Amino acid sequence: MSWGTELWDQFDSLDKHTQWGIDFLERYAKFVKERIEIEQNYAKQLRNLVKKYCPKRSSKDEEPRFTSCIAFFNILNELNDYAGQREVVAEEMAHRVYGELMRYAHDLKTERKMHLQEGRKAQQYLDMCWKQMDNSKKKFERECREAEKAQQSYERLDNDTNATKADVEKAKQQLNLRTHMADENKNEYAAQLQNFNGEQHKHFYVVIPQIYKQLQEMDERRTIKLSECYRGFADSERKVIPIISKCLEGMILAAKSVDERRDSQMVVDSFKSGFEPPGDFPFEDYSQHIYRTISDGTISAAKQESGKMDSKSTVGKAKGKLWLFGKKPKPQSPPLTPTSLFTSSTPNGSQFLTLSIEPVHYCMNEIKTGKPRIPSFRSLKRGWSMKMGPALEDFSHLPPEQRRKKLQQRIDELNRGLQKEADQKEALNKMKDVYEKNPQMGDPGSLQPKLAETMNNIDRLRMEIHKNEAWLSEVEGKTGIRGDRRHSSDINHLVTQGRESPEGSYTDDANQEVRGPPQQHGHHSEFDDEFEDDDPLPAIGHCKAIYPFDGHNEGTLAMKEGEVLYIIEEDKGDGWTRARRQNGEEGYVPTTYIDVTLEKSSKGS
């Protein structure tokens, strides 16, 4: 199948077909260009979407800690990578498909124009040969007619008896001349006819097939190029499918990483106050004066005396308990108000101590308005400031270990800035010496403002370092002392003994515990100061080391894999848990390195 043999007479049709092929190529190139613009706009809109919903934070303190938030930001990162892959698709299409199509279309137009010009030249040459042959044919025909007329004239004069011999001779000469001219035109016509037939054969069997073959090859190459561009168009996106799949897998993993229990625990750790719910209000017997008899004075005195004996015995038990810690208890502070305690009598003659409603309101108001000293309330305040309020300069809103890390990090940054300023000062001094030795190189006085600015920066950085080091020393001094233990007294402000209650008070029997609101007295602070450093913190559980930890940093505790330790403080959100060995050595260990088991029964052991 060849265009030269099959379509030898369809030059105009081939002209239109090749032009349509180039137009179709350019149309597909336009389609690819618009697809590239769509991919670029899509990637741009995705990046703007990611930028819009990414958190605008100035420091790492404001980073979200909830797993749902972390998962969402991981999804945003994966979506940003996905947008980058769409940009890669657009770049690949622009370079491999669109650019190649435009270059090939330009070359194709040039080649088509050359082949069509050769075809037109061959056709024009054949037309010229045909015109020459046709002219010689017409001339031969004309001479033949003239010779025929001369023949007829000669024969008429020759048969005419009246014609003279001269007329006959003249007609004969004219006949010979016309016959000779006809023979010459006949030979020329034959030659032109032979030449035209040869050129026509060459045109339709050699020249035109060759030109049409080149046009056919050009059109087939155009089709092949379109096929390659179709494949490249698909390959541009298929190449990024593995990376896009990884982005989607990352989104799925981020979704699976959401832990509702952990988020709930973070909410508890951030907002818990540590207070116990308010207890039941005591029954106030206003009928005690009705049942009072004339002789109840003696009975009341005896019962008051017995009440005093009971109080002494209770205090004695408390003293016995307190002496176990090596110190005697301090005298009890007076109650909150003069009407804090009163004696109530029942109809059967028994007495009991009752807390009136005025002290309860007083305690609740103190809790709301006063500055609490309870560690759990401080943790509440810290958690609330971390969530709602701005971060403090000294990081006092953070737990001790986190505050120490933040202060150390800031000190390191300030030291690096100080070293940079010192290097700049040294360089300026050297430049000043060079200017003083060689005045033509510059004016030494021009460096004085820069030197003064550098000195001010050095002084400012040193003051900042000194201030932060003071805060760091304060934190490190506090971490050496065990955490505060909350103590609550009973309604009568008597120190009870026995097991340790959740609020830190001791009682002999679980039924004798009174979990009222924490009282805010100087006695409590003195009591805490008295016993804060005497006994170690109680173990609230145990843990087993999953991985070894060297514990080179100050305040940490080294451990071996499989080692069992006591837990004395839970992780407060900074990733560290306070633990203790059996020999009494204490320190912080990474929470992710241990398997923690909390036991309620171990508290107070």
Side-chain angles (χ1 to χ4, degrees):
M1 180 186 65
S2 175
W3 288 7
T5 58
E6 303 290 340
L7 304 175
W8 60 272
D9 57 344
Q10 299 296 323
F11 181 81
D12 294 337
S13 299
L14 292 179
D15 185 4
K16 294 179 180 178
H17 173 73
T18 52
Q19 182 62 41
W20 172 86
I22 294 176
D23 292 341
F24 182 79
L25 188 71
E26 291 179 341
R27 184 183 180 189
Y28 178 69
K30 185 178 179 182
F31 161 76
V32 175
K33 181 181 179 181
E34 292 182 1
R35 170 66 189 277
I36 291 171
E37 292 176 354
I38 290 174
E39 291 290 345
Q40 290 175 344
N41 293 332
Y42 180 49
K44 183 179 179 180
Q45 291 177 1
L46 284 179
R47 289 193 181 277
N48 291 336
L49 181 66
V50 171
K51 184 178 179 181
K52 178 180 179 182
Y53 284 94
C54 272
K56 297 176 178 61
R57 51 181 180 269
S58 58
S59 63
K60 295 182 178 179
D61 296 335
E62 301 177 7
E63 291 184 359
R65 299 178 299 161
F66 296 106
T67 57
S68 57
C69 297
I70 295 174
F72 175 62
F73 296 140
N74 291 336
I75 289 175
L76 289 179
N77 292 331
E78 297 294 343
L79 187 61
N80 191 50
D81 296 340
Y82 178 82
Q85 296 308 310
R86 304 317 305 181
E87 291 177 348
V88 171
V89 171
E91 292 176 0
E92 185 72 13
M93 286 183 180
H95 175 71
R96 183 177 176 181
V97 182
Y98 179 73
E100 188 67 23
L101 281 175
M102 297 306 296
R103 288 191 297 270
Y104 187 75
H106 180 268
D107 297 340
L108 201 64
K109 289 179 181 179
T110 305
E111 184 180 358
R112 173 181 174 276
K113 183 178 180 181
M114 180 185 66
H115 293 325
L116 293 179
Q117 286 178 353
E118 291 177 357
R120 291 190 180 94
K121 287 180 181 180
Q123 187 67 36
Q124 290 173 0
Y125 179 72
L126 183 64
D127 292 342
M128 183 188 67
C129 292
W130 182 82
K131 287 180 180 180
Q132 291 178 356
M133 184 271 295
D134 187 61
N135 290 334
S136 63
K137 177 183 177 181
K138 290 179 180 179
K139 188 176 182 182
F140 172 62
E141 183 181 3
R142 185 172 61 250
E143 291 297 332
C144 286
R145 285 196 298 269
E146 293 294 331
E148 185 178 355
K149 290 180 181 179
Q151 178 71 24
Q152 292 177 358
S153 178
Y154 171 72
E155 289 178 353
R156 187 179 66 253
L157 290 175
D158 187 32
N159 293 328
D160 189 5
T161 56
N162 297 323
T164 61
K165 187 177 180 180
D167 292 337
V168 173
E169 195 65 30
K170 182 178 179 181
K172 185 177 180 181
Q173 290 179 357
Q174 188 68 24
L175 175 62
N176 292 334
L177 178 62
R178 292 297 178 183
T179 303
H180 179 69
M181 291 291 293
D183 290 340
E184 287 183 353
N185 287 324
K186 180 181 179 182
N187 293 332
E188 183 179 358
Y189 169 64
Q192 290 294 335
L193 180 61
Q194 185 178 1
N195 181 56
F196 174 74
N197 289 334
E199 292 297 333
Q200 181 176 260
H201 184 273
K202 181 181 178 182
H203 176 80
F204 289 110
Y205 289 94
V206 179
V207 178
I208 289 298
Q210 183 67 26
I211 295 174
Y212 284 7
K213 181 181 179 182
Q214 293 174 353
L215 287 173
Q216 182 180 0
E217 292 176 352
M218 180 193 72
D219 193 70
E220 290 176 353
R221 289 199 307 272
R222 176 189 64 82
T223 307
I224 293 173
K225 177 59 69 174
L226 278 173
S227 175
E228 293 176 353
C229 291
Y230 293 160
R231 189 180 301 109
F233 182 83
D235 288 340
S236 299
E237 189 162 1
R238 187 175 63 179
K239 286 182 179 179
V240 301
I241 285 178
I243 303 178
I244 291 177
S245 299
K246 290 183 179 179
C247 294
L248 297 177
E249 290 176 1
M251 295 181 185
I252 294 174
L253 291 177
K256 292 181 179 179
S257 66
V258 176
D259 188 353
E260 69 280 3
R261 295 293 183 182
R262 183 178 176 186
D263 289 355
S264 299
Q265 185 61 37
M266 285 183 180
V267 174
V268 172
D269 295 340
S270 300
F271 297 105
K272 67 179 179 181
S273 65
F275 295 122
E276 289 292 333
D280 296 336
F281 282 95
F283 176 75
E284 299 183 17
D285 191 1
Y286 295 101
S287 63
Q288 56 182 338
H289 300 289
I290 300 175
Y291 298 101
R292 184 172 298 173
T293 60
I294 300 174
S295 61
D296 63 355
T298 309
I299 299 174
S300 298
K303 289 184 178 180
Q304 286 177 1
E305 186 178 356
S306 63
K308 291 180 181 180
M309 292 176 63
D310 293 340
S311 300
K312 290 180 180 180
S313 63
T314 306
V315 173
K317 292 181 180 180
K319 288 183 178 180
K321 178 64 179 179
L322 295 176
W323 290 344
L324 295 176
F325 295 94
K327 292 186 179 181
K328 295 182 179 180
K330 293 186 177 181
Q332 298 296 324
S333 62
L336 294 175
T337 61
T339 59
S340 296
L341 297 174
F342 65 88
T343 304
S344 177
S345 302
T346 59
N348 58 6
S350 61
Q351 288 184 331
F352 58 90
L353 297 176
T354 311
L355 181 65
S356 65
I357 195 164
E358 289 82 7
V360 174
H361 285 294
Y362 179 81
C363 295
M364 296 303 295
N365 291 331
E366 285 296 319
I367 292 172
K368 293 179 181 178
T369 59
K371 183 178 180 183
R373 301 178 184 177
I374 301 176
S376 59
F377 196 76
R378 285 200 300 268
S379 65
L380 169 64
K381 187 177 181 181
R382 180 177 64 248
W384 182 262
S385 64
M386 291 175 66
K387 287 292 180 182
M388 298 298 179
L392 300 178
E393 183 183 4
D394 59 351
F395 300 111
S396 61
H397 62 288
L398 297 177
E401 189 64 22
Q402 291 186 11
R403 183 184 181 192
R404 185 186 65 79
K405 291 180 180 179
K406 292 292 184 181
L407 289 173
Q408 187 63 48
Q409 182 180 0
R410 182 187 288 175
I411 290 172
D412 295 339
E413 293 177 357
L414 292 173
N415 283 327
R416 287 194 293 268
L418 180 63
Q419 183 63 35
K420 184 178 179 181
E421 294 293 336
D423 295 340
Q424 185 175 359
K425 175 186 174 183
E426 184 178 357
L428 290 173
N429 287 329
K430 289 182 180 179
M431 188 179 296
K432 184 178 180 181
D433 294 340
V434 172
Y435 285 174
E436 290 176 351
K437 294 179 181 178
N438 300 309
Q440 65 275 11
M441 296 183 66
D443 183 14
S446 61
L447 301 177
Q448 193 62 34
K450 190 66 177 176
L451 275 171
E453 181 182 357
T454 305
M455 291 298 296
N456 291 334
N457 292 337
I458 291 176
D459 294 339
R460 178 179 56 80
L461 289 173
R462 284 176 177 172
M463 291 177 62
E464 289 290 331
I465 292 173
H466 179 71
K467 181 170 61 174
N468 283 274
E469 284 179 349
W471 289 336
L472 182 61
S473 301
E474 177 186 355
V475 174
E476 290 178 347
K478 287 184 178 180
T479 53
I481 305 173
R482 68 176 182 85
D484 297 336
R485 296 176 59 190
R486 298 190 297 268
H487 296 275
S488 64
S489 61
D490 58 350
I491 296 177
N492 296 320
H493 300 279
L494 298 178
V495 180
T496 58
Q497 61 180 353
R499 63 182 184 87
E500 182 185 3
S501 67
E503 290 298 323
S505 62
Y506 292 89
T507 178
D508 197 14
D509 188 4
N511 297 326
Q512 296 178 4
E513 287 188 22
V514 178
R515 298 184 181 181
Q519 304 298 327
Q520 197 170 350
H521 296 293
H523 171 71
H524 286 279
S525 60
E526 294 175 3
F527 187 89
D528 293 339
D529 296 338
E530 193 75 18
F531 298 101
E532 186 171 9
D533 297 325
D534 292 337
D535 59 334
L537 284 174
I540 60 175
H542 65 275
C543 65
K544 183 178 180 181
I546 305 175
Y547 309 105
F549 179 63
D550 50 12
H552 291 326
N553 297 330
E554 183 180 357
T556 59
L557 181 64
M559 63 181 179
K560 299 179 181 179
E561 183 177 357
E563 185 177 359
V564 178
L565 305 172
Y566 293 114
I567 300 296
I568 56 178
E569 279 189 15
E570 294 185 62
D571 186 359
K572 297 181 179 179
D574 56 357
W576 295 88
T577 301
R578 191 172 180 182
R580 180 174 62 220
R581 285 199 179 93
Q582 294 183 358
N583 58 5
E585 185 179 0
E586 296 181 359
Y588 288 92
V589 295
T591 306
T592 55
Y593 280 42
I594 58 176
D595 183 13
V596 180
T597 302
L598 298 179
E599 299 175 355
K600 294 183 178 180
S601 61
S602 63
K603 188 171 182 180
S605 61

